Amino acid sequence: MELDLTWILLGLPTAFALGWIASRLDLRQMRIANRQAPRAYFKGLNHLLNEQQDQAIDAFIEAVQNDPDTSELHFALGNLFRRRGEYDRAVRVHEHLLSRADISQADRQRAQHGLALDYLKAGLLDRAEEALRKLEGTSYEGQARLARMAIYERSREWPEAAAVARLLEKSGEADFGTRLAHYQCEQAREEVQKGDSAKALDLLAQALQDHPRAARPRLLMGQLQLSQGQARAAYENLSVFFEHNDMAAPLAAASYAQAALACGLATQAGDLLKAHYQRQPCIDVLDAITTLEAHNTPSATTSEANALQRYLDHLQNHPSMMAASRWLNGARNEVGVLPAPVQKTLENATKPLARYRCAACGFEAKEHFWHCPGCQSWDSYPPRRVEEL
């Protein structure tokens, strides 16, 4: 069969024309897709700025579908899911990023950090810890260690928390000396609950040796020594609070008075407490003074009169419902028995003022906490009660 040159001459231009048309169609589709992706992206940003998270998520999902290789959109989507509490969807986004082989090392570390935060917010502490460990040696190492330390604190794994705190200290993040002393105190409390007071005292002694300026180990040691019948040792330990005008002195006042009475040093303790009270007036210290004076005064009538006068003097210089309540309780013989409604009203008005309040979150409690049960902050409770702040 002879080859017809006419068909060849006609076919070549036709094929060229069809190829050109196809390329133009592909280019048009690319332009449309490129226009759609930025439009969806900016639309999502607009919704995000207007705090319309549902619409922002829909827009970012549309953008990701148009351009699945854009890692920044995935990060934005994962963060939005986490903020909304949709942790399972946030995990899937960050796991998808980690499964990709085409992302940079920086983006891979960022995705690993995002995954750890997803688990942390979801309360999956074991998975969060595992994810955070993988960030060792990366630019997120410091943040990961802080998060791990918070996990160990929440789960009361004090030795593990201490190990991470020491790593943070070595890297120059901050000084965690006081925090380490708290960890040893927490371990000592656990040993007391187990009945091993000797081990608890060893832990507290080590804490004092490592961190001599920390107030909590000294206070707990004095209280534990007092409960173990070591009144003289407790007295010497707790005296430091009042000799050095320590801010934690109000917390030690009651135990110090008991230790002084137990070892026969009520007079010396009373003088030290009075000197401290003159510098830093406080109801707890005043209560300890009246307790010691009641022991040192032979006459009960004279002792009661002295206590009433002390509370009255305090009221004149520092108006206080707590001091007024104590004065009324001691002055029943003079003012008579208060009517029940009046007495109940006074007690109800005084109770909130006798609480301790966290300076970080405002959580109030009857007892003083070194570790706030509300916001998990350390040393956020002032040693003075609400009324005296």
Side-chain angles (χ1 to χ4, degrees):
M1 178 182 291
E2 295 183 359
L3 184 63
D4 192 343
L5 294 177
T6 304
W7 288 106
I8 295 176
L9 293 174
L10 291 173
L12 286 175
T14 303
F16 177 79
L18 291 173
W20 182 83
I21 292 171
S23 66
R24 298 300 297 175
L25 288 173
D26 289 341
L27 184 61
R28 183 181 179 185
Q29 290 295 328
M30 289 176 61
R31 287 175 177 173
I32 292 173
N34 289 336
R35 280 197 294 267
Q36 286 178 343
R39 187 181 300 116
Y41 180 72
F42 290 121
K43 184 179 178 183
L45 283 178
N46 182 56
H47 287 310
L48 194 59
L49 291 172
N50 292 325
E51 298 184 357
Q52 298 172 326
Q53 293 190 11
D54 290 335
Q55 294 88 333
I57 286 176
D58 293 337
F60 283 133
I61 289 176
E62 179 185 348
V64 168
Q65 290 172 344
N66 292 330
D67 189 6
D69 294 331
T70 305
S71 58
E72 286 298 330
L73 292 179
H74 283 79
F75 284 122
L77 200 55
N79 291 337
L80 278 174
F81 283 144
R82 185 168 63 245
R83 287 175 59 184
R84 280 176 50 84
E86 299 181 47
Y87 304 120
D88 55 338
R89 301 180 74 181
V91 166
R92 286 201 297 271
V93 169
H94 290 120
E95 285 182 337
H96 170 70
L97 284 169
L98 288 171
S99 67
R100 287 171 51 179
D102 60 335
I103 64 172
S104 66
Q105 187 64 23
D107 281 346
R108 186 171 298 280
Q109 294 173 7
R110 184 179 172 188
Q112 183 66 39
H113 182 248
L115 181 64
L117 293 180
D118 297 338
Y119 287 139
L120 196 59
K121 291 290 186 181
L124 303 174
L125 301 185
D126 291 342
R127 293 187 180 183
E129 180 191 354
E130 181 182 355
L132 290 167
R133 284 184 180 277
K134 294 179 181 179
L135 292 169
E136 287 290 320
T138 70
S139 58
Y140 294 93
E141 181 181 72
Q143 299 177 44
R145 286 176 175 175
L146 286 170
R148 281 173 55 204
M149 189 168 65
I151 290 174
Y152 295 138
E153 289 178 357
R154 192 185 304 183
S155 56
R156 304 188 68 80
E157 299 177 64
W158 307 117
E160 289 79 4
V164 176
R166 292 189 183 96
L167 288 175
L168 286 166
E169 276 194 332
K170 288 180 181 178
S171 62
E173 292 288 337
D175 180 11
F176 289 91
T178 304
R179 187 79 65 91
L180 287 167
H182 280 305
Y183 295 159
Q184 290 169 303
C185 290
E186 292 292 341
Q187 290 177 264
R189 287 183 59 189
E190 292 177 355
E191 294 301 330
V192 171
Q193 292 173 356
K194 295 176 184 177
D196 194 346
S197 298
K199 188 173 182 180
L201 285 172
D202 290 341
L203 284 166
L204 294 172
Q206 186 63 47
L208 268 179
Q209 181 179 346
D210 296 341
H211 317 284
R213 294 186 179 181
R216 190 184 181 188
R218 185 175 301 280
L219 177 60
L220 290 183
M221 176 175 280
Q223 293 173 340
L224 184 55
Q225 288 170 333
L226 183 60
S227 67
Q228 295 293 307
Q230 304 174 32
R232 184 62 188 238
Y235 174 84
E236 292 175 354
N237 252 322
L238 298 175
S239 294
V240 176
F241 288 101
F242 306 97
E243 292 170 350
H244 298 161
N245 296 324
D246 196 292
M247 292 299 295
L251 302 176
S255 299
Y256 180 59
Q258 293 178 22
L261 290 173
C263 63
L265 296 172
T267 302
Q268 295 90 320
D271 293 339
L272 188 58
L273 286 171
K274 290 172 188 176
H276 179 85
Y277 176 82
Q278 290 299 321
R279 295 186 297 268
Q280 298 179 9
C282 173
I283 283 290
D284 289 305
V285 175
L286 184 57
D287 288 342
I289 291 172
T290 58
T291 299
L292 293 175
E293 284 186 339
H295 181 269
N296 291 334
T297 306
S299 170
T301 304
T302 305
S303 173
E304 291 176 4
N306 290 340
L308 289 174
Q309 188 58 48
R310 285 202 175 276
Y311 287 120
L312 191 59
D313 292 340
H314 184 87
L315 282 168
Q316 290 175 346
N317 299 312
H318 311 282
S320 165
M321 284 289 293
M322 294 169 58
S325 177
R326 284 162 172 74
W327 185 87
L328 284 172
N329 286 333
R332 291 182 186 277
N333 294 332
E334 297 182 15
V335 300
V337 178
L338 292 174
V342 176
Q343 186 173 356
K344 186 176 181 181
T345 301
L346 181 61
E347 290 175 356
N348 291 338
T350 305
K351 282 180 181 178
L353 301 176
R355 295 174 180 170
Y356 297 94
R357 179 189 295 154
C358 175
C361 69
F363 187 90
E364 293 186 2
K366 294 180 180 179
E367 62 177 301
H368 178 273
F369 285 103
W370 298 93
H371 190 205
C372 178
C375 64
Q376 304 298 306
S377 299
W378 290 96
D379 294 315
S380 58
Y381 274 82
R384 291 173 175 264
R385 302 177 191 273
V386 170
E387 188 182 52
E388 297 179 305
L389 295 177

